[in-house]
Amino acid sequence: MGKIIAIANQKGGVGKTTTSMNLASGLSYIGKKVLLVDFDPQGNATHGIGAHKVGFDKTVYDILMKDENVDDVKVTLQMPPLDVLPSTIDLSGADVDMAQYETGREQLLKRKLEAVRNQYDYIIIDCPPALGLLNTNALTAADSVMIPVQCALEGLTQLLSTIRLVQKLWNPRLSIEGVLLTMFDVRTKLSVEVQQEVRKYFKEKVYHCFIPRNVRLSEAPSREQSIFEYDTRSEGARAYAQLVKEVVTQNERIKR
């Protein structure tokens, strides 16, 4: 049974989509069967990983609101070798559309992903930078949530409250997969202080690796590539390869 990981932080600009793309890509390159779900109306993961070049008629919005199946919507890529559920600006109306449902609106995505999770080793959900029904759907569908953190713990209180609410009402098995330090600069006092603060608060949930500030990581999405196609020798690629290793090792240990 595949592991479903939501990448979430309501604060924008923390490397959430970069992490979603490169974690999914890195997992696929070590032979894992991966589905990347772009659940952000901005569609940055869809474009950044090159899914729009393949072309698609349906999106994740159709899965939620028009009862389409994952297999009929997914886009299959060769590089990286994974499947993508693409997103467009249409998804921005889903919160309003779902609000009209009296029951079951928090579990629309879960029902669709449960039908295909046995086809994958990992399903990675790139969540939008806001707390609403889209994020609630993602967290209800997920086994765990990975939290990218850039500058401070500020703003995480609301996300953690949402996670606790989802655990209580819809998904008691939801756990924190891990906390990832992003855009980290070992030369600055701020980065060192933030690392200490995050590790003090989340303890063993913080990954040993961190994602550095790296120009190549910033450039890759504009070339419609993950870092592993764009520059596999870059510091950013090495960092995400280490994250992939930690994620796989952790989950294989749990299975044993």
Side-chain angles (χ1 to χ4, degrees):
M1 181 178 291
K3 179 78 175 283
I4 303 177
I5 304 174
I7 314 296
N9 190 326
Q10 80 274 15
K11 188 177 184 301
V14 298
K16 177 182 58 59
T17 297
T18 298
T19 295
S20 300
M21 287 172 45
N22 290 309
L23 174 60
S25 178
L27 287 166
S28 73
Y29 277 121
I30 63 168
K32 303 299 182 182
K33 181 67 175 174
V34 180
L35 174 67
L36 173 61
V37 181
D38 187 350
F39 219 48
D40 186 341
Q42 298 177 68
N44 290 332
T46 299
H47 282 262
I49 208 157
H52 71 289
K53 292 188 293 186
V54 178
F56 51 84
D57 298 318
K58 300 172 184 176
T59 70
V60 71
Y61 176 84
D62 297 295
I63 288 175
L64 285 181
M65 307 310 305
K66 297 184 180 180
D67 206 30
E68 294 286 351
N69 296 317
V70 170
D71 287 335
D72 294 328
V73 175
K74 70 182 181 184
V75 174
T76 299
L77 305 182
Q78 300 303 316
M79 293 181 63
L82 50 73
D83 292 339
V84 181
L85 288 183
S87 173
T88 65
I89 195 64
D90 289 348
L91 189 60
S92 61
D95 264 350
V96 175
D97 293 340
M98 286 188 288
Q100 300 174 28
Y101 284 58
E102 291 186 7
T103 60
R105 60 191 180 188
E106 298 87 5
Q107 300 183 36
L108 294 173
L109 181 64
K110 177 181 179 179
R111 287 198 293 267
K112 294 305 177 73
L113 294 185
E114 285 294 327
V116 300
R117 69 183 298 164
N118 286 338
Q119 300 176 26
Y120 297 96
D121 297 305
Y122 290 92
I123 297 175
I124 307 297
I125 308 174
D126 182 29
C127 298
L131 295 176
L133 278 172
L134 286 176
N135 257 304
T136 302
N137 261 266
L139 295 177
T140 301
D143 298 306
S144 61
V145 53
M146 183 183 293
I147 307 172
V149 175
Q150 181 191 354
C151 295
L153 294 174
E154 180 183 356
L156 283 184
T157 302
Q158 195 174 2
L159 174 61
L160 295 174
S161 295
T162 300
I163 291 171
R164 285 192 289 270
L165 179 64
V166 170
Q167 288 170 327
K168 181 178 180 180
L169 297 180
W170 304 293
N171 187 3
R173 75 173 187 275
L174 180 66
S175 64
I176 294 179
E177 178 78 12
V179 177
L180 178 67
L181 293 161
T182 61
M183 303 179 192
F184 192 83
D185 189 343
V186 294
R187 299 168 297 180
T188 67
K189 182 179 179 181
L190 176 61
S191 285
V192 174
E193 290 175 348
V194 168
Q195 176 180 213
Q196 292 172 343
E197 184 180 7
V198 171
R199 292 191 186 280
K200 180 179 179 181
Y201 188 86
F202 287 102
K203 299 182 173 58
E204 72 280 355
K205 287 293 184 180
V206 184
Y207 292 106
H208 294 296
C209 68
F210 58 81
I211 309 302
R213 287 193 176 276
N214 182 251
V215 173
R216 307 300 271 174
L217 276 176
S218 302
E219 293 173 344
S222 65
R223 303 295 177 87
E224 301 170 352
Q225 295 177 320
S226 80
I227 192 61
F228 297 106
E229 292 93 53
Y230 185 61
D231 189 352
T232 190
R233 296 182 179 180
S234 67
E235 189 177 1
R238 290 196 296 271
Y240 273 111
Q242 182 59 40
L243 175 64
V244 168
K245 183 178 180 180
E246 284 197 52
V247 169
V248 171
T249 300
Q250 174 180 297
N251 282 288
E252 288 181 349
R253 184 168 60 245
I254 291 172
K255 286 179 181 179
R256 288 197 297 267

